[in-house]
Amino acid sequence: MTRRAIVNKLMFALCGLAAFLTVSTLFLILAYLVYNGGTSISLDFFTKLPGPSGHPGGMANAILGSAEIIFFAAVIGLPIGFFSGIYLAESADPWLPAIVRYTADLLNGVPSIVIGIVVWTVMVVPLHHFSALAGGVALSLMLIPITARSTERFLLQVPRELREGALALGADKWRTTATVIVPAARRGIVTGMILGIARISGETAPLLFTSLNNEYWSAGFKEPTASLPVMIYTHAVSPYADWHRQAWAAGLVLLGLVLVGNITARMVLTQGAKRS
Amino acid sequence: MSSKMSAKNVSVSYGPFQALHDVTLDFEANKITALIGPSGCGKSTFLRSLNRINETERDTRIEGTITLNGENIFDIDVTEIRRRVGMVFQRPNPFPKSIFDNVAYGPKINGMLTGTTAEEAVESSLRRAALWDEVKDKLHDSAYALSGGQQQRLCIARALAVNPEVLLFDEPCSALDPIATARIEDLLVGLKEHCTMVIVTHNMQQAARVADDTGFFLLGKLIEHDKTDLIFKNPSKRETEDYITGRFG
Amino acid sequence: MGKLAAGVTRLFAISILAITLLLVIQLWLHSYEARQKFGLGFLTSTLWNPVTDEFGALPFLYGTVITSFLALLIAVPLGVGAAIFLAELTGPKLSETLTFLVELLAAVPSVIFGLLAIFTLVPFMRNYVQPGLQRVTGGIAIFSGHPYGVGYLTAGVILAVMTFPFIISVSREALLAVPREQREAALAVGATQWEATWDAVIPFARLGIIGSIFLALARALGETMAVTMVIGNNPSIRASLFAPGYTIASVIANEFTEATGDVYLAALVELGLVLFALTIIINGLAQLLIRVTTKR
Ligand SMILES: Nc1ncnc2c1ncn2[C@@H]1O[C@H](COP(=O)(O)OP(=O)(O)OP(=O)(O)O)[C@@H](O)[C@H]1O
Ligand SMILES: [Mg+2]
């Protein structure tokens, strides 16, 4: 073989190796979590409160807390993101859409810890309380640009004929959007929303100074609230072996939820593609 | 009469779809052969078999034999065959590099710069492509700064720089205006002393102007192949006549 | 009716601008005491002493930049290599499947990377990688000192794992957007497949690839949880990559809720402001580059 032929084979082998390493990282993570977390999960984990070392209990309050925080984030973030996405895809304004689009991408890249600080300044300081609501607001700020951009993307994928067909029947532009284009893109839009929720549900940093944490059931949405990601963090950095096992179990549950979200989103999309 | 390249019973399939059926065709040395026919009839498929660039496509299957100087091209190393059988594409496709680097690329990777300097190789190729006078003062400018016609001649210079024996053209003028087209046609005729050429074209006048021989394809089959003036003045097949008189389809 | 709909959606869209503006304003206002007290010296001071109320950002800036740089050093070759494999060497089916797996990797929460890192990567680095590097290199300055396991290098490694999904998926798209005539032009003068990829395809996609690297850099700079769990929490500047250090994001995560005193809090918020500015600039560049390549 010539030197060139050898370089050719070698470089592509290296590229293949890089791809293999990357993908195997995912399986390594999964295997490790299943191995360590699987043996620590029990019914108690889902039904009991966390306890001191020696009596680790479960993380029922964190599961409920996460659900509560994500609920707030979704209620606030999804509509704002959705309507902004419609604006980005459909508006005829001259320059504003481009600016909003660019800003959304920048907002999406702002470190989540910074979002945590800002929500602390606007919600925790004036209300004098860490709260589930503040946590939800922090996550919603991350959800908005994600939802806006994915909604826009799927709206733009609606075939031109469909759009023009409706306009040709005499429907005005916004009616066409509401009755033809959004329904046609609904699978994609829902997919984007599920992916967004999956993404924020694992976020920890923005919750550290907003919903904080709680060893007990939260007394209400205006009170400090436990969440799975924060629990994983506090348990993982603790010195206790039995807390570590709780962290593994919580990690497995959290990752399971995130991956199920991602795979569901994928299925929603491909099922739609098959049908049409 | 010697044939430089010849195809014998060549069939090509893309997956389950057979695009080319049993084509047999000889290319005479230092002549230009035009391939004409309606869109989708397999001209590009045939042309792209001649330098085995079809193989980069997934699920492509080629049957039959193709020879270069009597040697089966499927027995020759694939990079070697592509150096000896060059190609110019429909749309000018210079690399995002300088004019100089575009032309020098082929000689460089093929280790052809022993004895000549890169400068000499580049100049001689650009001269053969009738581009030297227009670019000699801006060799290190980006190739994208040239006009479409100049870019296409640059691509021809790039192909000539590795001294190919055969040069394949896939509708090389379809993205150019009439003046740029005329320059390229003159260039092709002048290049006959250096190499054998095959050109796919949709422009019947172009085939008549530049080609010595012409082959007519229809639905993946070679219908007829002969001297160009015979094909145009006195085709022996009904389909050929219909096509060149514009009565087709 | 049409006017109303246009107005309402515009209002929602403007809220995105408002949120971003809110971030800037709040970070600026709440860092007031620190900006007032330290001025620009904040960025160059290495002191971080809550007892005497003296605060400087340099150790954290250093840690943030070093860990991100290490991450790119590992993630760029791996990520670009994998992207080349996915775009150039596999069929569309396999490429899609592998890309989906890469996207799943990108979806793994930061805190889970941290959890794994504490219990697997840290001991692995301490017991094998760090002593090994010391043996091979003879303990030069950047690999000197006691191998704790936690520190700049370990944080860099975990950041690399977290950022290469971004490099892969964006670079792959940039590579797939290269017109196939570019590759064929190189092949047609006798290039091997690798030469065509390296000389024709990659230069054509380079802006997109660079964009993906900037994107990854911005992620790495702002990444909090995983780094916080393995960086070692030591606000000083050390030449050794094995030394425990600190990053901007992790000092905020660790000290914000415990900060007592206005200046202390303001200093942490100012760190947030610095981080915000850094990531905005780098992300801004990344988005521009990606836009240019996908438009062409
Ligand atoms: N990569 C491919 N995969 C599947 N089918 C292909 C592929 N390339 C070409 N074909 C099909 O093969 C047939 C011949 O295509 P080819 O490009 O050779 O035609 P052509 O004569 O060059 O047409 P045109 O004048 O439009 O360039 C067409 O029906 C085309 O759809
Ligand atoms: Mg063709």
Side-chain angles (χ1 to χ4, degrees):
Chain A
M1 255 198 311
T2 63
R3 193 187 58 82
R4 293 171 64 202
I6 294 171
V7 169
N8 187 44
K9 289 243 159 63
L10 185 72
M11 293 314 289
F12 280 131
L14 286 178
C15 289
L17 186 68
F20 172 78
L21 276 178
T22 317
V23 172
S24 54
T25 312
L26 176 68
F27 289 107
L28 216 71
I29 291 174
L30 280 177
Y32 218 86
L33 266 181
V34 169
Y35 175 75
N36 279 299
T39 49
S40 316
I41 285 190
S42 60
L43 190 62
D44 281 357
F45 180 84
F46 296 97
T47 54
K48 292 207 166 141
L49 286 174
S53 173
H55 309 275
M59 291 202 179
N61 61 339
I63 294 171
L64 189 75
S66 267
E68 193 181 347
I69 294 167
I70 292 167
F71 172 77
F72 285 130
V75 165
I76 303 165
L78 292 181
I80 299 182
F82 172 71
F83 286 110
S84 305
I86 291 184
Y87 175 81
L88 289 176
E90 303 293 326
S91 168
D93 290 354
W95 41 264
L96 190 57
I99 293 180
V100 171
R101 192 173 296 126
Y102 197 73
T103 309
D105 285 346
L106 290 184
L107 185 57
N108 192 13
V110 170
S112 54
I113 187 107
V114 172
I115 301 219
I117 296 179
V118 171
V119 172
W120 177 83
T121 66
V122 296
M123 295 209 48
V124 178
V125 174
L127 300 177
H128 305 292
H129 267 291
F130 296 101
S131 66
L133 185 60
V137 169
L139 295 187
S140 78
L141 297 193
M142 309 187 64
L143 190 55
I144 288 169
I146 300 176
T147 311
R149 291 290 269 142
S150 71
T151 301
E152 178 200 6
R153 196 174 108 225
F154 287 105
L155 287 175
L156 290 179
Q157 280 176 11
V158 172
R160 181 193 292 257
E161 300 84 59
L162 215 59
R163 191 175 302 243
E164 285 168 355
L167 289 173
L169 290 176
D172 76 33
K173 185 179 160 65
W174 291 99
R175 172 150 309 171
T176 306
T177 302
T179 57
V180 178
I181 300 177
V182 170
R186 71 182 185 288
R187 279 175 180 278
I189 293 172
V190 170
T191 302
M193 289 178 171
I194 299 174
L195 286 177
I197 299 276
R199 157 91 191 278
I200 60 161
S201 60
E203 280 294 339
T204 316
L207 301 183
L208 292 174
F209 332 132
T210 52
S211 54
L212 201 70
N213 200 355
N214 197 332
E215 295 297 308
Y216 306 99
W217 297 104
S218 170
F221 68 90
K222 289 191 199 151
E223 296 295 322
T225 304
S227 60
L228 271 180
V230 175
M231 278 291 187
I232 295 174
Y233 173 57
T234 53
H235 280 67
V237 298
S238 80
Y240 315 118
D242 53 355
W243 275 33
H244 295 165
R245 275 197 297 281
Q246 292 292 90
W248 284 113
L252 181 61
V253 171
L254 181 63
L255 186 65
L257 288 174
V258 169
L259 293 189
V260 164
N262 271 271
I263 293 166
T264 312
R266 176 82 163 194
M267 272 169 20
V268 168
L269 200 61
T270 50
Q271 289 300 311
K274 252 179 230 152
R275 207 169 292 179
S276 61
Chain B
M1 217 180 286
S2 59
S3 57
K4 182 75 191 171
M5 228 183 163
S6 62
K8 209 166 180 184
N9 305 110
V10 172
S11 297
V12 180
S13 318
Y14 298 109
F17 173 71
Q18 187 169 358
L20 212 57
H21 301 263
D22 218 15
V23 173
T24 299
L25 187 52
D26 278 3
F27 302 102
E28 266 183 63
N30 300 92
K31 291 271 158 66
I32 299 180
T33 303
L35 307 179
I36 60 171
S39 200
C41 66
K43 307 178 297 288
S44 299
T45 298
F46 180 59
L47 197 75
R48 292 162 58 83
S49 307
L50 298 176
N51 66 347
R52 295 178 59 186
I53 211 157
N54 250 353
E55 291 171 18
T56 57
E57 211 80 45
R58 233 144 249 288
D59 301 328
T60 311
R61 219 177 49 254
I62 306 182
E63 286 161 54
T65 48
I66 300 173
T67 57
L68 178 64
N69 298 331
E71 205 180 343
N72 188 343
I73 64 167
F74 297 101
D75 295 337
I76 305 175
D77 177 58
V78 66
T79 56
E80 164 83 4
I81 200 70
R82 290 188 192 137
R83 186 192 64 69
R84 290 167 62 186
V85 182
M87 187 162 213
V88 174
F89 300 79
Q90 180 163 4
R91 223 171 275 282
N93 58 348
F95 299 132
K97 302 178 197 250
S98 71
I99 293 170
F100 185 93
D101 288 341
N102 262 279
V103 182
Y105 178 70
K108 209 180 285 168
I109 57 163
N110 286 293
M112 297 169 79
L113 292 173
T114 47
T116 50
T117 64
E119 282 72 18
E120 286 165 353
V122 168
E123 176 172 347
S124 104
S125 305
L126 285 170
R127 278 190 194 285
R128 276 185 285 166
L131 189 61
W132 174 251
D133 291 328
E134 291 157 65
V135 302
K136 62 171 182 264
D137 298 323
K138 48 179 181 183
L139 288 176
H140 296 282
D141 289 7
S142 163
Y144 292 140
L146 299 174
S147 74
Q150 288 174 323
Q151 286 188 17
Q152 193 63 309
R153 276 179 283 144
L154 177 66
C155 293
I156 295 176
R158 179 175 64 190
L160 287 170
V162 291
N163 298 322
E165 299 165 40
V166 179
L167 208 45
L168 312 172
F169 295 85
D170 196 347
E171 303 182 42
C173 302
S174 65
L176 305 180
D177 63 53
I179 297 173
T181 301
R183 297 203 59 164
I184 298 226
E185 288 177 5
D186 290 345
L187 172 60
L188 295 193
V189 174
L191 282 175
K192 283 207 275 186
E193 57 176 293
H194 297 292
C195 55
T196 306
M197 281 168 278
V198 185
I199 174 171
V200 168
T201 177
H202 273 281
N203 179 334
M204 240 83 66
Q205 285 80 23
Q206 182 169 66
R209 282 191 300 262
V210 303
D212 302 286
D213 296 340
T214 296
F216 172 62
F217 283 74
L218 186 62
L219 295 172
K221 297 198 173 80
L222 177 65
I223 303 296
E224 187 171 358
H225 170 236
D226 214 325
K227 295 279 164 236
T228 299
D229 38 344
L230 279 176
I231 292 275
F232 281 94
K233 294 209 186 85
N234 192 12
S236 59
K237 296 270 168 48
R238 177 65 192 266
E239 297 97 319
T240 316
E241 187 174 351
D242 284 353
Y243 181 69
I244 59 181
T245 53
R247 257 181 288 150
F248 184 83
Chain C
M1 172 64 204
K3 271 234 172 69
L4 184 70
V8 169
T9 58
R10 187 182 300 120
L11 215 61
F12 278 107
I14 288 175
S15 74
I16 290 180
L17 302 182
I19 290 167
T20 312
L21 200 64
L22 180 80
L23 297 185
V24 179
I25 293 172
Q26 290 302 100
L27 290 171
W28 185 256
L29 291 182
H30 285 260
S31 59
Y32 174 78
E33 281 91 349
R35 285 187 288 108
Q36 199 65 9
K37 183 160 179 195
F38 307 115
L40 278 178
F42 182 71
L43 295 176
T44 53
S45 162
T46 58
L47 220 59
W48 187 263
N49 191 340
V51 180
T52 59
D53 250 6
E54 303 271 9
F55 300 102
L58 201 60
F60 311 104
L61 267 173
Y62 176 79
T64 303
V65 170
I66 288 287
T67 50
S68 301
F69 178 75
L70 285 171
L72 289 189
L73 213 61
I74 302 166
V76 168
L78 273 179
V80 174
I84 290 174
F85 180 78
L86 294 178
E88 302 280 311
L89 284 174
T90 55
K93 262 241 167 70
L94 183 61
S95 180
E96 286 295 316
T97 311
L98 292 178
T99 306
F100 176 58
L101 293 178
V102 168
E103 274 160 20
L104 284 187
L105 185 60
V108 174
S110 172
V111 70
I112 288 182
F113 279 106
L115 176 66
L116 281 152
I118 288 186
F119 296 108
T120 61
L121 186 63
V122 170
F124 183 70
M125 296 294 283
R126 181 173 54 225
N127 298 333
Y128 302 103
V129 178
Q130 297 183 340
L133 281 172
Q134 285 182 332
R135 221 170 305 125
V136 172
T137 60
I140 52 170
I142 57 166
F143 297 141
S144 63
H146 184 74
Y148 294 102
V150 295
Y152 299 117
L153 184 62
T154 308
V157 171
I158 198 74
L159 280 177
V161 178
M162 297 178 67
T163 49
F164 61 41
F166 294 97
I167 299 187
I168 294 174
S169 54
V170 179
S171 293
R172 171 178 169 268
E173 259 161 44
L175 289 171
L176 288 177
V178 175
R180 88 174 196 206
E181 292 86 20
Q182 281 291 319
R183 174 179 307 107
E184 292 182 346
L187 293 175
V189 292
T192 62
Q193 203 183 349
W194 172 257
E195 286 163 346
T197 302
W198 188 252
D199 299 328
V201 177
I202 290 185
F204 205 91
R206 71 187 180 283
L207 288 183
I209 294 175
I210 295 171
S212 81
I213 294 171
F214 276 154
L215 205 63
L217 176 60
R219 293 272 163 183
L221 291 173
E223 190 43 65
T224 310
M225 296 320 294
V227 175
T228 305
M229 293 158 92
V230 300
I231 186 70
N233 303 344
N234 175 25
S236 63
I237 296 180
R238 304 284 196 76
S240 172
L241 300 180
F242 294 173
Y246 231 148
T247 66
I248 297 179
S250 47
V251 72
I252 299 174
N254 273 330
E255 301 190 0
F256 195 78
T257 47
E258 282 146 32
T260 46
D262 291 346
V263 180
Y264 192 3
L265 254 180
L268 287 167
V269 177
E270 189 173 356
L271 281 177
L273 181 65
V274 171
L275 186 61
F276 177 80
L278 262 179
T279 51
I280 286 279
I281 291 168
I282 290 172
N283 253 317
L285 281 174
Q287 298 300 345
L288 279 181
L289 288 170
I290 293 168
R291 256 151 240 234
V292 168
T293 32
T294 45
K295 259 200 190 131
R296 189 169 53 188

